[in-house]
Amino acid sequence: PSDGNTRIEMAKKYINDNVEQDLSVSDVAAYCYLGEKQLTRLFRLYEKASPAEYIRSVRTHRIELLLSDKTLSIKEVSRIMNFNNEYYFNAFFKKYYGMPPGEYRKTLSQ
């Protein structure tokens, strides 16, 4: 069991260090020398979430931090987070926050 926890910590560090990339579950599993199913099983056991949910959570949190930096344009935030284009970034953001990033940013200054 402790080996599973070590692998999860390894996976979480990899995700946090590389969240700007468009990480997939298979990328993380390969890094940890695990199969995707095994990684998913361990994540559910230790994190109560799937690896994909964890990646998304870390990714959206990083986007929030970047958006709070008013010196960065939304286009720059999109580029830093390696979205193919601003449209895809806006769609991703809106899906999880219910509003486009520009609107979200306005709520930060209220």
Side-chain angles (χ1 to χ4, degrees):
S2 63
D3 179 52
N5 194 34
T6 303
R7 293 283 177 97
I8 288 301
E9 291 308 314
M10 185 177 168
K12 287 166 51 179
K13 180 168 180 8
Y14 179 74
I15 292 166
N16 280 290
D17 290 349
N18 296 283
V19 73
E20 287 87 7
Q21 307 309 312
D22 192 12
L23 287 178
S24 69
V25 174
S26 63
D27 294 333
V28 179
Y31 178 79
C32 296
Y33 305 104
L34 294 170
E36 287 182 50
K37 285 184 179 179
Q38 192 177 10
L39 180 70
T40 299
R41 185 180 60 75
L42 289 171
F43 251 92
R44 290 203 184 281
L45 179 65
Y46 291 102
E47 296 299 317
K48 309 294 184 244
S50 73
E53 290 165 338
Y54 186 85
I55 292 168
R56 207 166 24 255
S57 166
V58 172
R59 195 161 165 81
T60 53
H61 181 70
R62 185 73 49 92
I63 289 168
E64 283 179 42
L65 290 174
L66 291 169
L67 285 173
S68 69
D69 179 351
K70 299 286 198 296
T71 64
L72 295 171
S73 70
I74 289 171
K75 189 173 191 148
E76 287 171 311
V77 173
S78 171
R79 195 175 54 246
I80 290 167
M81 294 304 294
N82 275 303
F83 281 87
N84 292 335
N85 60 53
E86 214 175 330
Y87 174 81
Y88 181 63
F89 173 67
N90 285 331
F92 174 88
F93 192 87
K94 191 172 182 179
K95 180 178 180 182
Y96 296 103
Y97 289 87
M99 66 181 88
E103 206 173 298
Y104 173 83
R105 184 175 257 177
K106 286 178 192 160
T107 69
L108 297 176
S109 55
Q110 291 175 354

